[in-house]
Amino acid sequence: MTAIPGMVWLPADHRLLGDHGHQMPYLLLGDKYARAVKVGAQAQPVMFPLADAAQVDELLALVDGVMLTGSPSNVHPSHFDEPVADPSLPLDPERDSLTLTLVRACVAQGVPLLGVCRGFQEINVAMGGSLYQQVQNVPGRMDHREPGGAPADEQYAPRHAIHLEPGSVFARWAGADSVQVNSLHGQGVNRLADGLRALARAPDGQIEAFEVVGARRFAYAVQFHPEWRCWENPFYGAIFRAFGDAVRERRADRLGLPSAA
């Protein structure tokens, strides 16, 4: 019988779907994130619907890693002491209330943690950093948003280079000190939290990847979207393979098994 692979918790988005005044609440997880965990990290994605912050420790004991996904919603700016700049943009306070606690627990307990886009921003805010709510309006910054209305292949196409910290794990995964990535975000890191170290920047200086300094296991986050067809992109694929290795190491320790990494 094939062994169950390590399990990766992907928190859900909370969204209202429907039209004509008949919207209903849904808990959502994008296929591309679950598929990247399954195919790229060779692990089993799992969800805990309606999990809350009080359950974080209990639920973390059941899994081997956490991936914080991207989302159409933004981290609520009250978490970094700012008012909402654009009320038309979606928020997800239910997700915030779980993930900001979850980040701190993963770091404290040595649970492998990968943040993507919103997840990247959540980690920074959870650790005490702040965000630009609209990067495109910051003097000297590019517009990092995807082309509106374009098909997915165009939205997720390489958009700009990022410059990687020489000698960092990202430079090793890329096999170079610069690599092309996609770009689909409006918010971005403003003040990087203490305890985080920038490992990649866009040409305008915007932080695109960081690590949790001194983390016991994998604890990295990226502003771009490596989950998009990660099996076709060597750099994206390397990120998920490294995450999967850390997940399997955690699983072996959790279950008292020989390491399978």
Side-chain angles (χ1 to χ4, degrees):
M1 183 174 62
T2 302
I4 296 173
M7 294 190 294
V8 175
W9 179 4
L10 295 92
D13 291 333
H14 300 73
R15 292 172 62 188
L16 293 173
L17 299 180
D19 53 20
H20 306 299
H22 298 290
Q23 290 189 324
M24 295 289 289
Y26 284 80
L27 298 169
L28 300 178
L29 170 64
D31 178 279
K32 63 194 177 88
Y33 298 109
R35 198 167 298 276
V37 168
K38 185 80 169 183
V39 177
Q42 293 289 295
Q44 177 60 49
V46 298
M47 294 176 66
F48 297 113
L50 301 180
D52 60 45
Q55 297 174 290
V56 161
D57 288 342
E58 181 181 2
L59 294 175
L60 274 183
L62 304 177
V63 302
D64 309 296
V66 169
M67 179 180 174
L68 301 176
T69 67
S71 171
S73 68
N74 292 324
V75 177
H76 199 291
S78 63
H79 294 293
F80 46 94
D81 299 321
E82 291 185 12
V84 175
D86 184 352
S88 72
L89 297 178
L91 299 167
D92 188 345
E94 292 90 350
R95 173 166 163 162
D96 293 343
S97 68
L98 172 66
T99 55
L100 299 184
T101 297
L102 182 56
V103 166
R104 293 186 285 266
C106 286
V107 173
Q109 298 179 32
V111 177
L113 175 64
L114 173 60
V116 170
C117 199
R118 190 193 209 272
F120 166 91
Q121 297 161 9
E122 287 169 330
I123 294 172
N124 185 52
V125 171
M127 301 289 283
S130 68
L131 304 175
Y132 294 124
Q133 294 186 53
Q134 298 171 305
V135 173
Q136 68 275 10
N137 293 334
V138 176
R141 293 292 195 257
M142 306 184 302
D143 189 339
H144 288 255
R145 295 172 297 179
E146 69 275 18
D153 283 349
E154 183 178 340
Q155 290 190 7
Y156 286 89
R159 192 67 53 193
H160 62 71
I162 57 172
H163 303 288
L164 309 172
E165 184 70 23
S168 68
V169 292
F170 283 97
R172 184 170 75 246
W173 293 332
D177 289 342
S178 180
V179 66
Q180 290 283 323
V181 297
N182 52 38
S183 186
L184 300 93
H185 63 102
Q187 290 195 322
V189 167
N190 179 359
R191 184 184 69 257
L192 189 65
D194 293 342
L196 302 180
R197 184 167 78 101
L199 296 180
R201 293 179 184 270
D204 61 358
Q206 191 63 41
I207 296 173
E208 291 276 342
F210 58 66
E211 66 177 346
V212 178
V213 177
R216 287 188 279 157
R217 286 201 176 94
F218 188 109
Y220 300 99
V222 297
Q223 182 61 82
F224 53 95
H225 285 265
E227 81 284 354
W228 181 253
R229 297 179 180 172
C230 63
W231 49 89
E232 297 177 0
N233 183 303
F235 176 50
Y236 296 172
I239 294 171
F240 277 95
R241 284 193 298 275
F243 180 53
D245 287 345
V247 166
R248 285 181 286 278
E249 181 183 79
R250 152 86 172 177
R251 176 180 182 273
D253 286 353
R254 183 171 65 86
L255 299 180
L257 302 173
S259 177

